[in-house]
Amino acid sequence: MSLLRLAWRNVLRQKRRTALLSLVVVYVTVAVLFMFGFLDGYGESLVEAYAEYVEAPVVVAREVWWQDPDPENGFRELPAVAHPLVQAATPRLSLYALLRSPYRMQGGVVLGVDPQGEKVLSRVPFRVGEGRWLQGPGEVVLGHRLAERLDVRVGERLVVETGKEALGLLVVGLVRSGVGNVDFGGVYLHLEDARKLSGGRVGATYLALKVPRGKEEGVAKALNQVLPEGLRAKAVWELMGPIRADYEGSRLFYVPLLGLFMLLAAVAVVSTTYVSVRERLREFAVAESLGLSPARLAGQVALEAALASGLGLLAGLLLGYALLGYTSTHDVFGPLMRLSVELLPEAGLSEHLYTSSRPIYALYASLLVAVSALLALLFPGRLVLRLDPSRYVKGE
Amino acid sequence: MGRMAFTVLLLAALALAQSPLEKLKLALDRLRGPAHEGIYLLQVERPGSVRTYRLKVYTDGRRAHLRVLEPRSEAGQAFLSLGEDLYLYDPRLGRTLRLPPTGRGERFLGSDLTYQDLVGRDLEELFQVAEVQGVLVLSPKPGAPTPYGKVEVYLKEGLIERILFYDQRNQAVRELGLSAYQRLDGAYLPREMALRDLQRPGYRTFLRILEVQVGPVPEGCFNPLYLERGC
């Protein structure tokens, strides 16, 4: 305890030096917290966009359809899927089609859905900004940005054509979901119409399942063990496509970068401690001659480094969590995300991004204190261990 | 004299008795001319540029085989329309491709004309017809796969003179004019066709028949296998 008091007194002796040193730690701590919060928030936003809007929490389809998403590879008859965590299931039929208005023509993926079943599974039906959600065959609901591109409005007819069939469908609603894929490319029509467009032989291309958040992987894995041969379940994380690689790449890039940041901050702490120890070698020699062991003195040096960086850590945690608290409740990144959605409309990005705030970030950031103390033991601590007290006491 | 007047009156009465749909059908029947082969000139105008194609055309009035002769860079491309089915031969690919029925709405050689304008009968199949002050007014049948809200067909002596396509906001978007009809072998053939994109000023396409030779066309011309080597 006396060692701690001694270390604390030494930390306070050079207030300006300690403050500057703590500032470095504050900066790195805030950076660590914010980066982890941002990355996790980005990941959660992607999972939510894909699970609730673009795809589904879990999707069951035939193996051949996963390899070649042609409607011909869909289900003739829907399979029975049983798992205690599956809260709802709805069939969907996705197919490539040409969309034609009097002014423009554009290719895209149209999704045949059961209007009622979709309400249980997806948030899209509740994001119809103009008009209404599908009620029956002969209708189509579009993403509002796609409708702008095609120059088609609610109440007008849109021609949907495939290589096999063509239908003139009435636009009954425009979706404003804030998710790029839906707003820029969403085309929702009744399952019956999609069956006609596909040639009428396919019932659905896949079965979308609703499962509790966080259980997607487990349910997909469990289903894959009981599903008949030729069927495969995929969880939302697997359905994300290229944006998943982007997210994982970001983590791979930022996590080592933060590690490097922390190491540099620890080096800054230790170099300051080193200077401080060099200035006080005579003092250490006296303490050693009075009976304190070199190991305890080295421990005191490590403690000083830990205390100095601990102060910075505390302030950094307060500041970092305050920042995360604000950005996890306020859409600060909205303008940036809207720009990203414009640039990458088919990436499944959401126009809103809220950071995540988890206690574990504090543990990551506190690694800096541990590294600082360890380095202090290794370098300035070694100075103390090699100290020859008689030389210093004599004043040589 | 009295008998002749009676015949004329009878014909007039019959003509008057024709329903709008019958008038449209008759006009469409008269649109493609008799079986013939000919050289067509296709001129695609865009703001600041004009592209001209010479085409060799074989048609029996229902089916059509078109080959690009000029410009040299695009020569050899061939198209075959057999009602619902469309085939395209591209010499750069060295292959004949079958286009889906949706291809009928696609633009021909990047012009403003679609395959449907050239050889189709969508006007009869997708629309219900009424007559308003001598103009055939076509409105889409429920669920019909047409993006247009209305089409007006202007006839002159039973021949189509002008077709005006409207969007669903009652605004004219395309205008197809047909002129210089020539009576050939008992059928009619418009020797000039002009299409204007009313939404985009300066976007126009003209099709003129330079040479025409009436007579039966070899059946091979309507076989996709002959698209590559010609007929």
Side-chain angles (χ1 to χ4, degrees):
Chain A
M1 190 63 194
S2 59
L3 203 65
L4 180 68
R5 212 179 313 162
L6 211 58
W8 180 245
R9 210 176 57 190
N10 284 330
V11 164
L12 293 181
R13 262 164 65 185
Q14 291 281 351
K15 286 196 178 71
R16 190 175 294 174
R17 191 184 283 173
T18 305
L20 282 172
L21 193 143
S22 297
L23 259 182
V24 175
V25 180
V26 168
Y27 171 72
V28 173
T29 306
V30 171
V32 168
L33 259 61
F34 181 74
M35 280 318 298
F36 275 108
F38 184 85
L39 282 172
D40 285 344
Y42 178 50
E44 282 165 14
S45 144
L46 285 175
V47 168
E48 182 178 310
Y50 274 84
E52 308 279 349
Y53 295 93
V54 183
E55 298 277 358
V58 175
V59 166
V60 175
R62 294 176 68 208
E63 280 281 5
V64 281
W65 187 81
W66 287 120
Q67 285 155 19
D68 175 15
D70 186 301
E72 287 295 315
N73 294 328
F75 297 121
R76 299 284 186 270
E77 281 178 24
L78 292 174
V81 176
H83 189 283
L85 287 177
V86 173
Q87 297 163 332
T90 189
R92 288 178 183 165
L93 201 163
S94 80
L95 66 160
Y96 289 96
L98 202 63
L99 311 166
R100 196 149 59 94
S101 76
Y103 323 97
R104 290 196 189 98
M105 206 153 44
Q106 187 174 321
V109 177
V110 306
L111 200 62
V113 297
D114 164 23
Q116 291 310 314
E118 206 61 23
K119 278 185 176 174
V120 182
L121 202 107
S122 165
R123 284 199 209 164
V124 172
F126 306 100
R127 293 288 187 269
V128 178
E130 191 186 335
R132 59 166 173 81
W133 177 239
L134 291 173
Q135 283 178 352
E139 298 177 344
V140 63
V141 169
L142 300 171
H144 75 107
R145 296 301 295 268
L146 175 65
E148 275 171 25
R149 279 183 180 178
L150 290 164
D151 198 358
V152 66
R153 301 174 190 169
V154 170
E156 295 182 352
R157 195 177 342 90
L158 178 77
V159 177
V160 182
E161 302 177 329
T162 60
K164 290 172 178 152
E165 192 59 70
L167 292 172
L169 302 173
L170 187 70
V171 179
V172 294
L174 303 181
V175 180
R176 290 174 188 275
S177 69
V179 175
N181 287 24
V182 175
D183 290 349
F184 282 86
V187 185
Y188 303 90
L189 42 92
H190 197 276
L191 198 58
E192 274 181 34
D193 288 333
R195 283 173 184 155
K196 272 186 218 158
L197 287 167
S198 71
R201 289 194 297 169
V202 178
T205 46
Y206 65 87
L207 204 57
L209 309 180
K210 186 179 175 69
V211 301
R213 176 68 64 83
K215 305 285 182 192
E216 298 93 345
E217 294 277 346
V219 172
K221 208 178 270 184
L223 283 175
N224 282 330
Q225 288 172 353
V226 294
L227 280 172
E229 201 177 339
L231 298 188
R232 191 169 161 223
K234 283 190 182 183
V236 62
W237 200 245
E238 264 191 281
L239 302 170
M240 277 189 195
I243 199 70
R244 177 185 168 188
D246 173 68
Y247 173 70
E248 287 174 341
S250 297
R251 272 199 102 85
L252 279 176
F253 177 71
Y254 285 112
V255 170
L257 196 71
L258 286 175
L260 190 68
F261 255 51
M262 287 165 78
L263 189 69
L264 288 176
V267 167
V269 171
V270 170
S271 61
T272 312
T273 314
Y274 190 87
V275 171
S276 167
V277 168
R278 278 212 82 88
E279 284 172 355
R280 294 183 287 135
L281 280 176
R282 184 187 294 272
E283 193 181 307
F284 282 112
V286 171
E288 197 177 325
S289 62
L290 287 174
L292 269 173
S293 71
R296 277 177 69 84
L297 284 173
Q300 183 196 321
V301 170
L303 210 56
E304 279 176 28
L307 281 174
S309 52
L311 279 179
L313 178 77
L314 273 177
L317 288 178
L318 280 174
L319 205 63
Y321 275 111
L323 185 66
L324 286 183
Y326 186 78
T327 51
S328 63
T329 49
H330 294 73
D331 192 18
V332 177
F333 303 104
L336 179 74
M337 290 309 290
R338 277 190 280 283
L339 191 67
S340 303
V341 168
E342 290 275 349
L343 290 172
L344 300 165
E346 282 159 22
L349 297 173
S350 170
E351 282 182 4
H352 310 285
L353 194 152
Y354 299 96
T355 56
S356 187
S357 183
R358 296 176 186 167
I360 190 84
Y361 304 153
L363 188 69
Y364 300 150
S366 61
L367 281 177
L368 172 59
V369 177
V371 174
S372 300
L374 191 72
L375 289 180
L377 261 180
L378 281 176
F379 299 102
R382 228 166 33 183
L383 270 183
V384 179
L385 288 172
R386 288 179 180 171
L387 189 70
D388 179 4
S390 57
R391 234 179 91 204
Y392 281 93
V393 172
K394 283 180 198 163
E396 286 174 12
Chain B
M1 187 67 184
R3 189 182 292 173
M4 198 172 162
F6 175 75
T7 313
V8 170
L9 276 173
L10 186 69
L11 284 172
L14 278 173
L16 284 173
Q18 263 185 337
S19 71
L21 179 62
E22 284 166 340
K23 282 185 183 177
L24 179 70
K25 279 187 173 176
L26 186 64
L28 289 172
D29 288 343
R30 288 169 158 184
L31 193 60
R32 315 294 178 205
H36 68 271
E37 56 186 88
I39 303 291
Y40 288 31
L41 189 79
L42 179 76
Q43 199 169 309
V44 184
E45 288 188 13
R46 295 286 177 264
S49 72
V50 177
R51 271 184 300 138
T52 306
Y53 298 89
R54 270 167 68 85
L55 310 168
K56 177 77 181 174
V57 177
Y58 305 89
T59 176
D60 65 358
R62 289 180 301 111
R63 301 171 294 176
H65 175 142
L66 301 93
R67 303 188 72 76
V68 178
L69 304 176
E70 286 175 14
R72 280 180 67 182
S73 58
E74 301 197 40
Q77 283 189 68
F79 307 87
L80 177 62
S81 167
L82 305 174
E84 286 285 296
D85 296 326
L86 278 172
Y87 294 88
L88 157 70
Y89 171 71
D90 188 335
R92 283 166 292 195
L93 297 174
R95 288 182 66 186
T96 298
L97 305 171
R98 182 176 176 272
L99 300 179
T102 52
R104 287 186 301 164
E106 284 179 19
R107 293 170 188 277
F108 175 68
L109 283 171
S111 71
D112 302 296
L113 283 164
T114 63
Y115 293 97
Q116 173 55 36
D117 296 323
L118 291 169
V119 287
R121 290 188 76 103
D122 274 7
L123 293 181
E124 177 190 345
E125 288 155 14
L126 304 181
F127 294 86
Q128 46 207 11
V129 193
E131 190 169 358
V132 180
Q133 294 176 336
V135 179
L136 297 181
V137 180
L138 282 60
S139 40
K141 290 177 183 171
T146 171
Y148 300 110
K150 185 176 79 171
V151 179
E152 285 179 355
V153 180
Y154 293 80
L155 301 176
K156 189 178 178 185
E157 293 164 9
L159 300 170
I160 297 175
E161 195 179 32
R162 185 170 162 235
I163 304 176
L164 211 47
F165 297 84
Y166 288 81
D167 64 11
Q168 296 172 61
R169 298 158 207 164
N170 213 25
Q171 191 179 351
V173 289
R174 292 172 85 225
E175 183 186 26
L176 178 64
L178 301 147
S179 56
Y181 275 95
Q182 189 178 8
R183 196 173 166 92
L184 294 166
D185 203 16
Y188 294 90
L189 182 67
R191 296 193 68 146
E192 289 181 9
M193 204 184 259
L195 198 134
R196 282 196 304 142
D197 185 334
L198 304 177
Q199 295 283 302
R200 293 185 289 183
Y203 280 65
R204 294 188 299 183
T205 298
F206 298 97
L207 187 72
R208 293 189 185 89
I209 301 178
L210 300 179
E211 294 168 25
V212 61
Q213 193 181 335
V214 177
V217 176
E219 194 55 31
C221 288
F222 305 117
N223 188 329
L225 297 173
Y226 285 80
L227 264 188
E228 183 177 347
R229 68 174 102 142
C231 64

